[in-house]
Amino acid sequence: MATTLDEQITQLKNAIAELEAQRSILGDEAVEAALVPSRKKLAALEAQAGTAEQKSPQIPTRLRKLVTLLYMDVVGSTAMTQHLDPEDTLEIMDNALPRLALPIQAHGGHVTRYTGDGFKAVFGDPLARENDPEQAILAGLEILDISQALAQELEKEWGIKDFQIRIGIDTGLAALGGHTEAEDTVMGRVVNLAVRIESAAPPGGLLISHNTYRHVRGVFNVEPQEPITATGFPEPIPVYRVKEI
């Protein structure tokens, strides 16, 4: 069966993403040389598809790409704010979460979703960099520093004690784009594992997967932790707590 123009573009983008994911193995020079014909063909196909965009509704393009996912969550937020009015709790989180997220953009990532007491951020989309895992960890460490300052402020202003967060990070291939969160849709194994790692992190801690660790080995001071179990993963998952650079 012949493939449609959109399918050809998607397949070519996936092939480019697979090559991009091999930079740490093949080297930038080899990858760039291999990408030249693929990029030329992609440009030609996209130009050909350009005239069709006004004739039919555009279907979101899905792309597989190597990314690093960071999840941040406020520990025990419900119990911590139970003495407050709901409006006060909303005000606290509305002020705290954007402040905690500031290091994300500073290190080349972007927040794709805010939850009531946390957020999900991605590094490597739309622009992939070889040091995305490192930048994600640096952002996470800065977020922990901000949380400590916030804890002091919240105790003084609202009587909230023990304000703490936890962070989980994983690196892997993800499906990007689609309908769920428009251009910010990120789905796949890496998302599920990052969530599980975050939930296993100790209060005030930053955990990373072995997938992320192998990209940053020797850069940070890490401490191996007991492997965690996760639904959908047959084997225990090795994790590391990041302490500092």
Side-chain angles (χ1 to χ4, degrees):
M1 181 182 296
T3 57
T4 66
L5 188 57
D6 284 341
E7 288 172 336
Q8 292 179 53
I9 292 174
T10 299
Q11 291 171 5
L12 190 54
K13 286 184 175 180
N14 288 340
I16 291 173
E18 294 284 358
L19 274 173
E20 290 280 6
Q22 300 301 312
R23 284 185 180 274
S24 60
I25 299 173
L26 302 177
D28 289 336
E29 185 174 347
V31 171
E32 286 298 326
L35 286 175
V36 170
S38 295
R39 286 171 173 164
K40 288 182 178 179
K41 184 176 180 181
L42 178 60
L45 289 174
E46 288 180 331
Q48 184 179 347
T51 57
E53 290 184 354
Q54 297 179 349
K55 298 180 181 179
S56 60
Q58 186 173 359
I59 299 174
T61 299
R62 292 175 176 84
L63 172 68
R64 291 179 71 230
K65 194 173 185 182
L66 184 70
V67 298
T68 296
L69 263 291
L70 179 152
Y71 271 84
M72 190 286 299
D73 167 76
V74 176
V75 179
S77 59
T78 300
M80 182 180 62
T81 58
Q82 62 183 351
H83 66 288
L84 299 174
D85 290 335
E87 293 82 2
D88 291 337
T89 300
L90 182 61
E91 179 182 347
I92 289 170
M93 291 301 173
D94 278 351
N95 290 328
L97 293 183
R99 182 171 166 187
L100 288 165
L102 287 175
I104 299 296
Q105 184 173 1
H107 286 278
H110 71 277
V111 175
T112 64
R113 180 196 298 169
Y114 283 98
T115 62
D117 58 357
F119 56 75
K120 175 179 74 176
V122 61
F123 295 77
D125 178 57
L127 178 64
R129 300 172 301 172
E130 187 175 353
N131 67 341
D132 281 324
E134 179 181 342
Q135 292 302 314
I137 293 173
L138 289 172
L141 292 173
E142 290 184 20
I143 292 170
L144 290 176
D145 288 341
I146 293 174
S147 73
Q148 293 176 6
L150 269 172
Q152 297 179 7
E153 296 171 13
L154 292 174
E155 182 172 4
K156 180 179 179 180
E157 297 175 17
W158 296 94
I160 293 175
K161 298 183 181 296
D162 298 324
F163 177 86
Q164 290 183 302
I165 66 169
R166 55 190 170 202
I167 297 172
I169 296 176
D170 184 35
T171 301
L173 286 172
L176 308 173
H179 292 285
T180 309
E181 297 173 64
E183 68 274 10
D184 281 334
T185 300
V186 183
M187 301 182 70
R189 183 181 186 274
V190 61
V191 179
N192 299 330
L193 187 53
V195 172
R196 182 63 188 90
I197 293 172
E198 178 268 311
S199 65
L206 166 57
L207 283 189
I208 64 173
S209 69
H210 185 74
N211 299 326
T212 300
Y213 171 70
R214 65 187 183 87
H215 288 278
V216 300
R217 185 184 287 111
V219 178
F220 298 93
N221 181 8
V222 304
E223 187 176 86
Q225 305 292 293
E226 285 293 324
I228 65 173
T229 58
T231 302
F233 297 85
E235 301 294 333
I237 307 297
V239 292
Y240 307 80
R241 182 171 183 176
V242 180
K243 302 176 70 175
E244 58 189 34
I245 297 178

